[in-house]
Amino acid sequence: MPTPGRDRARELAYQLLTRETLMPPGPDTTNEADRVCRRVSDELSRWIGNDGCRALFARALAAAQAEGGHPVLDTVRTSARSVYCLDGLSESATRHGAAAATEGAAAVLSTLIELLARLIGDDMALSLLEQSAYPRPPTQARARRGRVTP
């Protein structure tokens, strides 16, 4: 049975993904779901560091893959070498379709929100993720790190 925290996490994941599909397309050709995950990764790494962000994404991805029902996630991996935490989501979206990528990303993001909520509480976790909803202009510090969010 879903918990209230799980319902809120899933709702926020879908809100993040829906907002991205409503934004006008830019020069970035990656799938919307991939852009949202990249933006979340970028925002979270500001607060919990790259290693903490990768650890959360790795656990969330593993849980979503174990849950099943998202073949789009079968070839998605976390990578310590990548600037962003998930590799292969755009390629998998090309193969399985944007709707499948959105569903898979929602599973990963909602699990990530739940994991983060266990660490820092529901309200703070939801607040941090809500900050990821819209692209931010690059700052000098982010540009130097090569972490400009698409």
Side-chain angles (χ1 to χ4, degrees), residues 6 10 62-70 107 111:
R6 175 173 279 196
R10 193 147 195 74
Q65 288 171 328
E67 212 174 78
H70 303 289
T111 303

Side-chain angles (χ1 to χ4, degrees), residues 1-93:
M1 171 177 233
T3 64
R6 175 173 279 196
D7 291 341
R8 288 175 63 196
R10 193 147 195 74
E11 181 181 325
L12 178 57
Y14 277 106
Q15 284 176 4
L16 294 172
L17 291 160
T18 300
R19 285 179 188 157
E20 184 66 29
T21 60
L22 297 176
M23 297 182 114
D28 184 6
T29 59
T30 59
N31 173 271
E32 291 91 354
D34 190 46
R35 285 197 301 268
V36 171
C37 289
R38 288 177 181 224
R39 193 171 304 123
V40 167
S41 172
D42 191 48
E43 285 296 319
L44 279 181
S45 67
R46 291 178 53 223
W47 301 105
I48 61 174
N50 290 336
D51 291 338
C53 187
R54 278 191 196 93
L56 277 176
F57 265 95
R59 287 197 61 184
L61 176 62
Q65 288 171 328
E67 212 174 78
H70 303 289
V72 72
L73 297 177
D74 290 348
T75 57
V76 176
R77 302 285 178 255
T78 55
S79 173
R81 298 181 318 272
S82 177
V83 174
Y84 299 105
C85 293
L86 294 180
D87 288 335
L89 187 56
S90 271
E91 294 82 1
S92 196

